Each structure stands twice: as C-alpha cells, then as structure tokens.
Amino acid sequence: MKKSIWILLTAGLSVVMMLSACTKAGNIIYVPDPDEPMASTAPIVTVIYGQDGLGDRSYNDLIYLGVEEAATEHGLRTVELSPTSYEEGRDYLENMFQTVKSNRDTIPHLYIVAAAGYDGYIRQNSSVFDGNPYADLLYLETPEPLASGGSTLYLPYYGAMYEGGALWPAISDHATLIISNPEDLTVAGAAKGFSDGFYTDYYKVEYDDTYLVPWEKHLETIYLAEHSGQGYNIADTTALRIISEASGTIVPICGGAGYTMMYLCEITNINDYMGIDVEKFSWNCDMSILKHIDRAVGLCIGQWLSPEGMPRHQVLGLKEGYTGVKINPNIDDYYKPFIETYLTEEMRRQIHEDAIRKEEEYEKR
C-alpha cells in the first residue's frame, strides 16, 4: 500500500503523523489517505521534434495533432518536446536513451522521434529498447529500418509530388522549388517527384488546329541549407526576398520555412504558392500536396497499444492514401478553361495511376 503522510504544525513544532493500523504481531499497515489523488498509470507517449519543429503550421503540427487525438481516443498521457537548438535536441535524445536503459518502470512508454538530423545517433543507440519490454521507439520518416530496438515509419512523398508536378502545367508553366536541404531523403524524394512530373508531356498546346507541341516549361531550384536537419526555419526578411525573386509559383518543400513563405505570399500578394501539407485554399494557392502524417501517427499509436504491436517498418504513400493532391475547388476563373480542357477524369486517373507506379519504381532504387 502507498504510504500517506500528514504534517501538523503546532506552536512552531513539526509533528509527523501517519495513518496506520497494527496487526496482532505488531506489524504496521499503512492506510492510504482517501483524499490523496492516485498517480496515473496510463501509458505515456513522448514526442521529440527537430529544432523549433512545433509551430510550423505544417508537418510537425500535424504530428502534434495526430498524437493528441490518439491520446484523447485511448486515454494516454503525452509529452511534446520541441528543442530550440540542435544541442538541446541531442540532450533530449540522450536522456531518452539513458532513461530507457536504466528505468524499469512498468508503465508502457512510446517515444516518437521526428528529427531527421540525428539519424546516426539514433541508429547507434536504438538497441537499448531491446532490453526494456515497457518502452518502444517509433522513428519517423526514414526509408531504412533500424537494425534493432524500434519501429520506423516512412511516408514517401515522391508519388504525390509527381502527381502534383504533372498536374501543374495545366495551371502554370513556371515554378520554383524551394528545398530545405539536399541531404534529407524525404525532401530529396519530394523534389525529384515534382520535377519528374512537371517535365512529363501529358498536356500539349494546339496551334492552328494542326500542330501539337509540348508546353515550354521552366522549373528553378533553390536550397535554403546544405545539410540534413537544416533549412526548416527562416527569417521573414529572407523569405520575403526569396519569394520576390522566385520565378513563377513557389513550391516550398521546407517545413516551417515553407509556411513562412506561404504566409507572406498571402499578406503581400507578391507570388502564388503550391500548398505543402496544408488543406486551406486561397486565391494565392491553386493546388495543395498533402502528407497525412497525423493519420499515420495515430495508426501507429493504435498498433502500439494492440497485442500485435507496431510492425518493424511501414511504408504508407500515395497508393495507401496517406499522401495526395487537391486542386482548389474555387480556382481562379482564368484557369478554369485549362482545367476543364486538360484535367478530365480520364486524365486525372491516368496521372494518379502513373504516379503510384513511379513511386514504387523510385523507392526500389
């Protein structure tokens, strides 16, 4: 039984009194205070984000929503950790590994890591989870399973971005990819997918009812940083300069930095943008490419609580419906004739099927 202690202060003297009873043998049995709240034994989910991850109004915030919705559904406790620096994030991870290695608490604990910049460190230490039956690891957005000690989840973006890139010439023949960095695999796959789709020849322009020629397309690329985990945050002044100088619609594959650019496009009307991980449309956003990481994280938490547990590795992409493309239903009247002419149901179906096939081919490389 849990001990309960009452403290009574009388005339400056502290007297410690304990609720207790005695057996005939003289053994003391402590009786709990009925008014004392019981400690929760609900499972715990802790999420460790990348540097300044939360508040990006995009990918990381979707993870947060997915975790909190699952917590409400299953009665879980949650801890959300968003470090302000790379070093602080490393400290969070080090503390996680030390806790899992030494703690023998029997309350189930799931650690979700959404920070690609610590890949090597995570893989070097994940084996500690093999020695603790009450702790599990879910490492997000890596195509490579862990050698031991945890589960991985990967939502490839190539297919959805390919589909978005292939659809885009029906709206505009100019675009600028703004990419966080060239090293993060999910970002690289997304950029490659959009570029491959953009340069397909699904659409042709008719001249004089005689000749059919491809669109003259222009796609530029801007990197915000050089290394993994970087380029996801940006000053407003820098973002404003970039979108002002960009050619055509911007396609920001750069997390929180992308949200900053999309927001600035809204309030300044300097440029149009393709929505990334946002479903809210406006006059500046004619199309959005979505990654439903909130649904995917909720799925994994449900699996973790099940008798079977989480699979060692899961891939949930365009084919599985965890990524996709939406066109603004209130698209500008200027573009409607192009949409109606080129984006027939048959064409949309063909592009979607091609995108699924292309994603499978890309991920096999």
Side-chain angles (χ1 to χ4, degrees), residues 140-199:
L140 298 184
E141 294 293 58
T142 173
E144 297 294 332
L146 296 169
S148 60
S151 298
T152 47
L153 173 67
Y154 179 47
L155 272 63
Y157 224 179
Y158 179 95
M161 295 297 291
Y162 177 96
E163 184 172 347
L167 293 170
W168 191 246
I171 299 173
S172 174
D173 57 2
H174 281 64
T176 296
L177 282 170
I178 303 177
I179 306 170
S180 55
N181 66 76
E183 293 185 353
D184 287 343
L185 294 178
T186 55
V187 172
K192 178 75 165 109
F194 188 87
S195 177
D196 288 350
F198 186 80
Y199 284 117

Side-chain angles (χ1 to χ4, degrees), residues 9 12 14 22 25 41 50 72 74 85 107 121 125 136-138 159 163 184 232 234 253-254 264 311 331 341 355 365:
L9 300 179
S14 296
C22 295
T41 58
T72 300
H74 299 291
S85 66
I107 295 176
Y121 183 67
N125 293 277
D136 286 287
L137 171 66
L138 175 61
E163 184 172 347
D184 287 343
Y232 295 101
I234 193 171
I253 312 174
C254 45
L264 289 172
I331 196 167
T341 300
R365 299 173 191 172

Side-chain angles (χ1 to χ4, degrees), residues 16-27:
V16 179
M17 301 178 64
M18 288 174 281
L19 293 176
S20 62
C22 295
T23 66
K24 289 182 179 180
N27 297 322

Side-chain angles (χ1 to χ4, degrees), residues 18 31 43 53-54 62 70 86 92 105 116 153 165 171 178 191 199 213-214 217-218 236 263 287 306 331 334 348 351:
M18 288 174 281
V31 180
L54 275 183
L62 285 175
Y86 179 88
Y92 286 152
D105 193 334
L153 173 67
I171 299 173
I178 303 177
Y199 284 117
V213 298
K217 306 170 188 176
H218 302 274
D236 287 2
Y263 171 74
M287 185 184 297
S306 71
I331 196 167
Y334 175 81
R348 286 293 305 270
I351 292 174

Side-chain angles (χ1 to χ4, degrees), residues 7 17 39 51 81 90 145 175 196-197 210 248 260 264 273 279 315-316:
I7 300 179
M17 301 178 64
Q51 180 179 344
L81 302 175
R90 175 66 178 259
D196 288 350
T210 305
T260 299
L264 289 172
Y273 65 89
E279 295 193 54
V315 179
L316 303 173

Side-chain angles (χ1 to χ4, degrees), residues 71-148:
T72 300
E73 178 183 354
H74 299 291
L76 310 175
R77 292 177 287 169
T78 64
V79 179
E80 311 269 358
L81 302 175
S82 184
T84 58
S85 66
Y86 179 88
E87 291 73 21
E88 186 178 17
R90 175 66 178 259
D91 289 342
Y92 286 152
L93 292 172
E94 183 177 355
N95 181 68
M96 174 188 73
F97 288 127
Q98 289 295 329
T99 299
V100 172
K101 186 176 181 179
S102 60
N103 189 21
R104 288 299 175 264
D105 193 334
T106 58
I107 295 176
H109 201 140
L110 173 63
Y111 294 89
I112 300 177
V113 177
Y118 305 94
D119 185 78
Y121 183 67
I122 292 168
R123 294 182 183 279
Q124 290 169 9
N125 293 277
S126 65
S127 60
V128 301
F129 283 88
D130 288 334
N132 190 329
Y134 300 101
D136 286 287
L137 171 66
L138 175 61
Y139 181 29
L140 298 184
E141 294 293 58
T142 173
E144 297 294 332
L146 296 169
S148 60

Side-chain angles (χ1 to χ4, degrees), residues 283-296:
W283 294 113
N284 295 89
C285 178
D286 295 313
M287 185 184 297
S288 190
I289 303 177
L290 306 169
K291 176 179 285 192
H292 303 292
I293 188 65
D294 51 339
R295 286 171 35 201

